[in-house]
Structures are given as structure tokens and as C-alpha cells.
Amino acid sequence: MATDKAVLETLPPEKLLAATRLRVIKAAIRMFTEAESLDAYISHERNSGGREDTQNAS
């Protein structure tokens, strides 16, 4: 969870998901070890809307 906390503090959802490069977003998300951390980003992306390509990326 220490890694998750560091990512959340350094790159909060609004900052990370404002990135235009999907590779940057995916790299940060891969660092999470706790589902709750990822949920914060998913919730932010769903609530901000309008980026189908990011929401559907694998």
C-alpha cells in the first residue's frame, strides 16, 4: 500500500487522468497493489466522462 499511497499523493486522479498519453496512465495504474486505490481513479474517470478510449483501454 506504500506504493499506492505515493502514487495517489504524487499523481492524484485529476492530475494523472489529465495526461494525454495513455501509456503514462497505464504505467501509473500498474503500480497499484490495492483495489481501493484503483477505484479512486476509476470513479474520477467515470465522473469526469467523455474519454471512452481511456475507459475501454486494456
Side-chain angles (χ1 to χ4, degrees):
M1 184 78 173
T3 302
D4 293 20
K5 185 177 180 181
V7 174
L8 286 166
E9 289 175 357
T10 306
L11 293 168
E14 58 278 0
K15 185 174 180 180
L16 176 64
L17 297 175
T20 57
R21 296 182 139 185
L22 185 56
R23 185 170 28 178
V24 172
I25 296 170
K26 290 171 110 177
I29 289 173
R30 284 189 189 111
M31 296 172 66
F32 293 131
T33 59
E34 300 289 328
E36 293 82 13
S37 301
L38 185 56
D39 284 344
Y41 288 84
I42 292 171
S43 294
H44 177 80
E45 188 64 19
R46 284 185 181 147
N47 292 332
S48 65
R51 286 201 338 180
E52 292 282 326
D53 57 328
T54 302
Q55 293 175 9
N56 296 324
S58 12

